[in-house]
Amino acid sequence: MTAIPKPIPARHRNVNRAEVCDQNFIEFVQNWRGTVARACASDAPVLPGSLCTRSDFVELFDSQLISRHLDLMARVLRVKNKVFYTIGSSGHEGNAMVARLTRHTDPAFLHYRSGAFMAERFRKLPGLDPVMDSALSFAASKDDPASGGRHKVWGSKSLWVLPQTSTIASHLPKALGTAVAIEQAKRIAHKLPIPDDSIAICSFGDASANHAAAQTAFNTAAWTAYQKLPAPVLFVCEDNGIGISVKTPTDWIAANFSGRRDLDYFQADGLDLATGYEQVARAVHHCRTTRRPTFLHLRTTRIMGHAGTDFEIEWRSIEELVAVEAGDPLLRSTAIALEAGVYTREQLLARYENFRQRCFAAAEEADRRPKLTSLEDVIAPLAPYTPDAVIAEAQRVDYATQRVKIFGSAEKLPEKLPPRHLAIQINNALHDLFCKYPEALLFGEDVAQKGGVYTVTKGLHKAFKSARVFNTLLDETMILGLAQGFANMGMLPLPEIQYLAYFHNACDQIRGEAASLQFFSNNQYRNPMLVRIAGLGYQRGFGGHFHNDNSITALRDIPGLVVGCPSRGDDAATMLRTLAALAKVDGRVTVFLEPIALYMSKDLHAAGDGEWQFAYPPPDQAMPLGTGRIYDESADDLAIFTYGNGVPMSLRAAREIKKGLGWNVRVIDLRWLVPLNGAFIAAQAKTAKRIVIVDEGRHSAGVGEGVITAIVEAGYGAKPLQRVVGVDTYTPLAGAAFLVLPGEADIVAAAKLLA
């Protein structure tokens, strides 16, 4: 005979699952009729056989309750426009165990369901209030100690929780990078800001574990451990079995990760504090003592939906929802508390309501606190710039003895040698930076013994050894993840992206992660770096799309980024010094875009003239941010704005224009491409009768568009103007490449149109 299913009570059909879960807890306590154990000492196991003591349990349970009531508060006050974030932590409260069993000096990169972790970590230092601090963040208050009201993030400077936004998996590479950096610091005698035996903690969901950014971190962690190199990262996969509405196949995480070589796998029950505590402790101990990458598979669940706008009742059956909610970890913690005699039912309900009142009171107070109300306030931490301090740092020379040692003798210092081409002067400047900054690291593909595919890093490995100059695996995402990790630990990373086209594989590590950290941490955290990227077109005899990528659009719209592009060796040296100083002084993320086709260029107008070789500037010279170089400043018949390869092309074209039209031509090398110096551009446009813009990038969204905008916005748009620019296409191989790139004849033709 078929059993008749029990009817689902009417209240369980409520669309508002937060109300259901709240009532579930209350009724569970009210209806509990279990046996109460004899009271035990605070240091005794909360349940027989558990490593979790009574005192451990009391504080962990409180952290769980704080997290839950923050979620409930957010759901209620969001509709009143007092809270602006409803992705909750309900069902994940077991991550409080990870916080308790680690240190507040273990850098933590957390996903958004980390309320209980944060509540527990707040206990590590006196005088902190997890409820008020969290409420300020929920309310987007300017007083939010994590982000200053710029986003709801889990973060704390004093607790070493580096704020993440709604990350999917893009934080895993930098978490691993931080773990590697902890060990790398020891090799270069760099003093860490945290204890030497710290570990990096990184939490994420089961759905996120499938993401490419996660997989690259897992692969690199194993690649590192396989070579017997330490990488003390604790990957915490909080497995709730679902990603928004997409279910994870049953046992997929265990099947996928439990057998991976050199990624040590541990399981823990995040739904049961008494059981899971020892399991988590084993994983943490293993990671800290072995210094190996560790994967902690933490069983969780997700109740109350993905966020406040996720009405699960519309796409999940009521029976399934009720079953999921029955696995609420707070119900299990309640049972432990009552069974162990930690609280009576009345005491527990009173405590539950006390936390509710505390969270709502904090939220109301947070709502009264000031908000960000001006553009200046919003962008204040985005791109800090102290020009006097930066130029002073760029010009600082207190490493003369080291220079002589590295370059061989005083007579061999590069400023005493004849003029040289771009590649040589970049190489000299890198040697100088490594003398100046003992914490500098250069890494990437083929940069060490080989010295780079264009020999730009030749000799650095020999001079500064493997601890500071080293090859990485072929993975741009992880190269930039390592850079963020080294920067987090106070080093100065100089990662190399071998070709501009390869940057696109890893763009989000700069766009979404590195360049956003100062903004979302209110300038409390910074990950300074100087990223070298070889790129642009015009290579002869070697090329195609990936080696002649001429589009820098992906770099142009990253907030806070600085991009410099030299066309000659002396500019390269002074620009590198400024970029490094921007990183050191203001914590900036900077990019040095190197025109490959100019690396070996020695001549300008005729073979053998040597006019594109320049003397190396002494180390006390630097290029102020935003300053361009002007050729023939007094010429006013025509002004040509350009950069990179366009500079020598425009100078050659200027000679032809002078011959054909009799015009005196001024060539302006922008040098700094992000941000463009609009005032400088406008000043040059003002004194020119005609304007040509030479942009070797593509027609759409290139640098030239920014130049035109600056000219028009300054009121000079009525002047005769032409743009010479590349075609919106991929770069073909061999000679066909020059059909899609602007050339000298095109510049001359554009000038004639203005005659």
Side-chain angles (χ1 to χ4, degrees):
M1 184 176 179
T2 304
I4 300 174
K6 294 181 180 179
I8 302 294
R11 73 169 181 82
H12 285 289
R13 299 183 183 278
N14 189 348
V15 171
N16 189 332
R17 306 312 298 177
E19 290 182 358
V20 172
C21 293
D22 187 23
Q23 190 61 32
N24 282 349
F25 182 92
I26 294 170
E27 291 184 2
F28 185 89
V29 176
Q30 291 172 337
N31 297 331
W32 188 82
R33 294 293 184 270
T35 302
V36 178
R38 187 175 61 184
C40 58
S42 62
D43 59 350
V46 67
L47 290 181
S50 175
L51 187 68
C52 182
T53 68
R54 185 185 180 95
S55 59
D56 289 328
F57 174 81
V58 167
E59 293 190 340
L60 285 167
F61 193 19
D62 277 358
S63 295
Q64 291 185 312
L65 293 173
I66 288 171
S67 178
R68 177 60 56 85
H69 277 297
L70 287 171
D71 285 356
L72 294 171
M73 172 274 293
R75 298 297 173 91
V76 172
L77 296 186
R78 176 65 197 97
V79 297
K80 297 182 179 180
N81 215 35
K82 295 184 176 183
V83 161
F84 302 94
Y85 195 85
T86 58
I87 295 180
S89 303
S90 296
H92 285 247
E93 289 89 353
N95 57 33
M97 294 185 287
V98 180
R100 189 168 188 85
L101 289 161
T102 55
R103 305 170 185 162
H104 78 276
T105 49
D106 290 330
F109 303 82
L110 306 178
H111 79 336
Y112 40 69
R113 303 197 192 280
S114 299
F117 180 103
M118 285 301 297
E120 186 61 32
R121 182 165 273 207
F122 267 89
R123 301 182 190 282
K124 305 285 185 178
L125 292 177
L128 300 178
D129 183 354
V131 174
M132 192 66 228
D133 283 7
S134 298
L136 289 165
S137 189
F138 276 107
S141 169
K142 188 177 180 180
D143 293 341
D144 165 27
S147 75
R150 289 166 186 82
H151 203 286
K152 163 64 192 76
V153 295
W154 297 119
S156 169
K157 176 64 174 177
S158 59
L159 295 174
W160 271 98
V161 180
L162 290 80
Q164 315 301 307
T165 59
S166 296
T167 48
I168 301 304
S170 54
H171 58 310
L172 273 74
K174 64 181 179 182
L176 173 60
T178 301
V180 171
I182 291 169
E183 300 300 315
Q184 190 75 20
K186 302 170 189 175
R187 302 185 190 109
I188 66 170
H190 171 72
K191 182 173 176 54
L192 284 168
I194 54 177
D196 288 353
D197 65 343
S198 298
I199 64 174
I201 304 162
C202 182
S203 63
F204 51 94
D206 49 294
S208 297
N210 300 299
H211 197 278
Q215 291 295 323
T216 192
F218 301 143
N219 178 72
T220 304
W223 184 85
T224 304
Y226 180 78
Q227 300 175 79
K228 304 295 189 288
L229 298 172
V233 60
L234 181 67
F235 291 120
V236 184
C237 180
E238 299 185 16
D239 184 1
N240 63 25
I242 197 167
I244 302 184
S245 68
V246 179
K247 294 181 180 179
T248 297
T250 303
D251 296 328
W252 167 245
I253 296 298
N256 193 10
F257 290 94
S258 61
R260 288 201 185 190
R261 176 171 176 169
D262 293 309
L263 186 59
D264 302 341
Y265 177 86
F266 290 78
Q267 275 187 315
D269 189 350
L271 302 177
D272 188 325
L273 297 180
T275 302
Y277 195 78
E278 182 175 3
Q279 297 166 333
V280 172
R282 287 175 180 170
V284 172
H285 177 76
H286 174 84
C287 184
R288 195 178 305 280
T289 57
T290 67
R291 317 304 287 166
R292 285 175 56 83
T294 304
F295 188 98
L296 174 58
H297 181 190
L298 188 68
R299 179 188 172 208
T300 63
T301 189
R302 190 192 76 192
I303 61 175
M304 295 164 50
H306 174 71
T309 55
D310 180 18
F311 300 110
E312 289 184 292
I313 195 83
E314 296 178 352
W315 56 271
R316 297 179 87 170
S317 71
I318 189 64
E319 291 78 13
E320 182 182 4
L321 281 175
V322 170
V324 169
E325 290 159 357
D328 183 347
L330 263 63
L331 302 183
R332 174 57 184 152
S333 294
T334 296
I336 295 171
L338 295 171
E339 181 181 339
V342 175
Y343 302 116
T344 65
R345 287 179 296 168
E346 293 74 19
Q347 288 171 332
L348 185 50
L349 286 174
R351 196 165 189 81
Y352 186 73
E353 293 304 323
N354 177 266
F355 280 120
R356 186 197 306 276
Q357 293 170 16
R358 184 177 164 191
C359 288
F360 271 89
E364 293 293 346
E365 170 61 23
D367 181 55
R368 292 188 288 269
R369 297 286 188 90
K371 302 290 195 292
L372 294 169
T373 56
S374 72
L375 175 60
E376 291 74 17
D377 280 348
V378 171
I379 65 173
L382 175 64
Y385 179 42
T386 50
D388 291 343
V390 167
I391 204 68
E393 173 63 19
Q395 294 174 339
R396 175 176 62 85
V397 183
D398 54 6
Y399 49 97
T401 302
Q402 178 72 349
R403 291 189 80 225
V404 171
K405 178 182 177 182
I406 290 298
F407 287 108
S409 69
E411 290 71 28
K412 293 181 180 179
L413 291 174
E415 62 267 29
K416 296 185 178 181
L417 299 179
R420 302 301 300 272
H421 51 279
L422 179 64
I424 292 293
Q425 303 300 40
I426 293 175
N427 181 271
N428 285 330
L430 291 172
H431 277 80
D432 256 341
L433 287 180
F434 266 61
C435 292
K436 185 174 185 176
Y437 299 112
E439 71 275 21
L441 305 172
L442 188 145
F443 50 95
E445 299 156 16
D446 304 302
V447 300
Q449 292 87 344
K450 180 177 174 62
V453 291
Y454 296 99
T455 70
V456 175
T457 59
K458 183 178 180 180
L460 284 163
H461 178 264
K462 182 178 180 180
F464 299 101
K465 312 307 178 188
S466 297
R468 296 184 63 194
V469 181
F470 50 91
N471 294 323
T472 65
L473 73 176
L474 198 157
D475 184 340
E476 285 74 24
T477 296
M478 209 48 243
I479 290 171
L480 295 176
L482 286 168
Q484 292 171 82
F486 292 135
N488 289 335
M489 292 295 102
M491 288 166 264
L492 177 61
L494 280 77
E496 178 184 295
I497 302 298
Q498 199 168 76
Y499 290 101
L500 176 58
Y502 298 170
F503 170 74
H504 303 302
N505 302 334
C507 179
D508 188 54
Q509 287 301 305
I510 299 296
R511 176 186 299 277
E513 297 298 326
S516 73
L517 181 60
Q518 283 178 285
F519 182 77
F520 286 119
S521 71
N522 201 16
N523 203 24
Q524 296 177 88
Y525 281 108
R526 44 179 56 184
N527 40 207
M529 65 183 70
L530 199 175
V531 185
R532 294 178 46 250
I533 305 178
L536 305 178
Y538 300 98
Q539 285 193 83
R540 295 183 181 274
F542 179 68
H545 164 58
F546 278 103
H547 304 98
N548 268 312
D549 189 355
N550 63 321
S551 174
I552 68 161
T553 302
L555 289 166
R556 287 193 65 225
D557 72 338
I558 298 178
L561 190 67
V562 175
V563 180
C565 179
S567 64
R568 43 190 274 181
D570 55 346
D571 281 356
T574 56
M575 182 180 282
L576 275 169
R577 294 165 190 165
T578 300
L579 290 169
L582 280 163
K584 289 296 295 182
V585 173
D586 290 324
R588 300 292 292 275
V589 178
T590 67
V591 170
F592 185 65
L593 184 62
E594 303 172 6
I596 298 171
L598 295 180
Y599 273 151
M600 305 302 172
S601 293
K602 301 178 179 68
D603 307 319
L604 179 58
H605 295 292
D609 68 14
E611 291 187 26
W612 211 243
Q613 297 186 101
F614 300 92
Y616 186 79
D620 61 351
Q621 295 182 15
M623 181 193 303
L625 176 64
T627 57
R629 179 180 286 278
I630 304 167
Y631 297 84
D632 198 353
E633 189 166 1
S634 63
D636 63 357
D637 293 320
L638 174 67
I640 300 177
F641 291 90
T642 189
Y643 64 93
N645 293 288
V647 177
M649 282 197 307
S650 296
L651 289 170
R652 288 189 288 268
R655 177 176 286 191
E656 295 303 312
I657 293 168
K658 175 68 174 176
K659 290 178 183 178
L661 297 174
W663 292 350
N664 294 317
V665 181
R666 183 191 326 159
V667 175
I668 300 121
D669 183 356
L670 297 167
R671 301 198 294 195
W672 300 97
L673 305 185
V674 181
L676 284 171
N677 186 341
F680 169 73
I681 293 168
Q684 295 303 312
K686 178 180 180 180
T687 57
K689 297 174 183 176
R690 307 166 188 85
I691 298 168
V692 169
I693 297 162
V694 179
D695 179 2
E696 62 185 282
R698 295 180 187 154
H699 186 273
S700 298
V703 172
E705 290 186 358
V707 176
I708 292 172
T709 300
I711 292 170
V712 172
E713 289 182 346
Y716 305 119
K719 292 197 175 192
L721 183 150
Q722 287 287 316
R723 179 167 61 130
V724 180
V725 66
V727 179
D728 282 339
T729 182
Y730 299 103
T731 305
L733 192 62
F738 296 91
L739 300 175
V740 306
L741 297 170
E744 293 161 33
D746 300 312
I747 301 172
V748 174
K752 290 179 178 178
L753 291 174
L754 299 176

